[in-house]
Amino acid sequence: MTETTLPQGPPAALEREATAVSAAAVPVAPAVPVAPVVQEVPVVLSALRLEALAVGGTVGVVGMGARRSRARAESLAARLGPNQPVVVAGVAGALDPRLGPGDVVVAAQIQASDGSVVRELPGADLLAAELVRAGLRVHVGPIASSPTMVRTAEGRRHLARHGALAVDMESASVAGALGSRPMAVVRAISDTEDVGAARGGLRALRSLRTVRAAAEHWGRAVGARSVVLAAPRSFCAGVDRAIEIVERALDRFGPPVYVRRQIVHNAHVVRRLEDLGAVFVAELDEVPDESVVVLAAHGVTPGVRAEATARPTLNVIDATCPLVAKVHHEARRFASQGYRMVLIGHHDHEEVVGTVGEAPDQIRVVQDVDAVAALPFEADERIAFLTQTTLATDETRAVVDALRARYPMVAGPHADDICYATQNRQDAVRALAGQCDLVLVVGSANSSNTARLVEVARRTGCRAELLEDASELRLEWLASARRVGLTAGASAPESLVQQTLDALRLLGPVTVDEHRTTEETVRFSLPQQVR
Ligand code: SF4
């Protein structure tokens, strides 16, 4: 059997390493902090001075073992505010054989040595994600707190029987002293059944050196907040229709149903449909004969349609949004009347590629005001403009103004082609961004209307961040953000918004209000093949 290596006193090598690393730059309190405790900035507690040196910053040393750490933590707690966050950081012994020296465990739960739960620690996943981004190998799970040093492999296995990943000697007693104050426990593995602290301790201390920033972010992020949901948000009628087309096709014809490109620009939607039997392809030549194939909501070029028509055994179902199809129709109409066209949009977006395909020799794409000056058209030519459906309304207006200034006779749609859903979601986020510390926009990075929501919110002066789903929520963004706006792009499912709310609730109580700027009642009919 291997003797457990939870260090009673740090090996000299570890002491030298930690001192060399941080003693010059980092102020370390010899005991509990004496500086005034500032609300929201987390107090970090370590058992040993060596651990405190590695973590850096102002760290309280509570001493090793249950009794000593409890007494010092109680003395500290008497001077802390009732909501003061506290992070316990230090080394620990591994209980799970998958853990190695230098790995980090973020406690989701503190267990007593008999396996009973001392405290649940919600928010561990968010803190762990921050540490993963910092480059550490991180595990989330229970940590067992043992009142005595664990000296045998058998002792480790006994503590592991209720799922604990690691063992320390202080977390349970510190938790008892802190009451209901927000608490996190981050432990770096110094020893395993096979590797003693003399070998593994240095790696643990190196990992602890990376913990500080994440602990700060967590401490500043925990606490009560209010969330304002933008409405409308999430799916538009075109996305609803496209998803329903694939679902009905799967139902009616059975899997596989092929889909050319992402049916809508959202990774979660695509994954769910793949699970149901959809097969996503880049081009039609990947689709076998006698298959059902759906064309995505963003529309395609006439060339792709011709390719589909040339294969009579394919059952082609067009999920192009009717509002995108309307822009194609305008392009064909202007082209037939001899107009040169300016398409305001993003060159590489699938919708723009599809629209340009209607009259490639007559259409030029411009993205911003500067590009208008570089257009090769003369003022006396017949010029018309079109717009991508998912642009930012305020930016597009500036480009249209520049076009009218250069080509006073420019023709165009009544206003622009920006669709109702894009307009409504931008109005909704603009209406709440001014009252928020942060706006979170849920959606995929390749979704144009989602990216525009971030830009619109930022243009109000508010911080705004894009996240694919709750797993991308960053504590850093939430630091001191007590009023958060939340919305989702037209291709992002509402379930992702609710999951983001749930993740925010792990950091403290959340009150939720909805700010609705308009009702949406638009519905599009389905293609004949799936009615
Ligand atoms: Fe159609 Fe607008 Fe939705 Fe795009 S964002 S699918 S154009 S309704």
Side-chain angles (χ1 to χ4, degrees), residues 373-393:
L375 281 166
F377 306 149
E378 300 301 327
D380 56 357
E381 289 184 272
R382 300 186 87 190
I383 312 286
F385 77 87
L386 306 166
T387 57
Q388 186 180 335
T389 57
T390 49
L391 297 180
T393 49

Side-chain angles (χ1 to χ4, degrees), residues 144-397:
S145 244
S146 170
T148 56
M149 191 168 288
V150 182
R151 297 189 180 280
T152 64
E154 194 184 344
R156 287 183 198 257
R157 282 177 216 136
H158 182 72
L159 284 170
R161 73 197 186 286
H162 296 290
L165 301 179
V167 56
D168 68 12
M169 295 179 71
E170 297 85 21
S171 293
S173 49
V174 173
L178 291 178
S180 60
R181 292 175 182 85
M183 179 185 184
V185 178
V186 181
R187 292 288 186 183
I189 298 300
S190 60
D191 54 277
T192 68
E193 237 182 84
D194 305 319
V195 181
R199 275 174 58 209
L202 276 178
R203 291 173 69 178
L205 292 174
R206 277 196 206 106
S207 295
L208 284 179
R209 277 155 49 187
T210 311
V211 162
R212 181 84 209 180
E216 294 265 349
H217 292 153
W218 172 85
R220 290 176 190 275
V222 290
R225 58 175 43 85
S226 61
V227 172
V228 190
L229 291 169
R233 62 179 179 278
S234 192
F235 285 176
C236 60
V239 166
D240 262 335
R241 174 179 181 269
I243 293 170
E244 192 175 352
I245 287 171
V246 179
E247 289 169 344
R248 284 184 175 230
L250 284 162
D251 207 34
R252 183 156 303 176
F253 306 108
V257 164
Y258 292 84
V259 184
R260 183 184 177 277
R261 308 287 171 92
Q262 284 193 320
I263 183 74
V264 299
H265 284 153
N266 187 271
H268 287 267
V269 170
V270 167
R271 261 200 303 276
R272 189 181 75 78
L273 292 174
E274 277 176 335
D275 289 344
L276 293 175
V279 176
F280 289 85
V281 296
E283 297 301 343
L284 288 179
D285 60 13
E286 296 166 56
V287 181
D289 286 337
E290 299 181 357
S291 301
V292 178
V293 60
V294 178
L295 304 179
H298 315 102
V300 296
T301 63
V304 172
R305 270 180 216 292
E307 189 186 344
T309 312
R311 293 178 60 188
T313 67
L314 289 184
N315 182 2
V316 182
I317 308 175
D318 190 356
T320 302
C321 174
L323 300 181
V324 175
K326 174 177 149 274
V327 182
H328 282 238
H329 175 76
E330 286 165 356
R332 287 194 297 273
R333 180 170 64 86
F334 282 128
S336 68
Q337 295 170 7
Y339 279 87
R340 317 282 304 268
M341 280 166 277
V342 181
L343 173 57
I344 307 169
H346 298 270
H347 289 87
D348 50 354
H349 191 275
E350 282 168 9
E351 181 189 321
V352 168
V353 171
T355 308
V356 169
E358 295 289 354
D361 297 335
Q362 289 165 263
I363 299 180
R364 291 288 176 277
V365 179
V366 298
Q367 194 159 327
D368 50 32
V369 170
D370 292 344
V372 172
L375 281 166
F377 306 149
E378 300 301 327
D380 56 357
E381 289 184 272
R382 300 186 87 190
I383 312 286
F385 77 87
L386 306 166
T387 57
Q388 186 180 335
T389 57
T390 49
L391 297 180
T393 49
D394 43 2
E395 274 194 325
T396 305
R397 209 169 299 126

Side-chain angles (χ1 to χ4, degrees), residues 57-109:
T58 304
V59 182
V61 178
V62 292
M64 194 172 155
R67 239 182 336 173
R68 192 178 307 153
S69 60
R70 169 123 196 172
R72 289 194 182 170
E74 277 174 352
S75 145
L76 170 68
R79 297 168 40 241
L80 297 178
N83 300 316
Q84 174 65 52
V86 174
V87 179
V88 174
V91 301
L95 298 179
D96 187 308
R98 290 169 297 181
L99 272 56
D103 283 10
V104 168
V105 178
V106 180
Q109 183 186 76

Side-chain angles (χ1 to χ4, degrees), residues 26-29 31-36 42-45 52 55-61 212 216:
V26 177
V28 176
V32 290
V34 291
V43 170
V44 180
L45 300 181
V55 175
T58 304
V59 182
V61 178
R212 181 84 209 180
E216 294 265 349

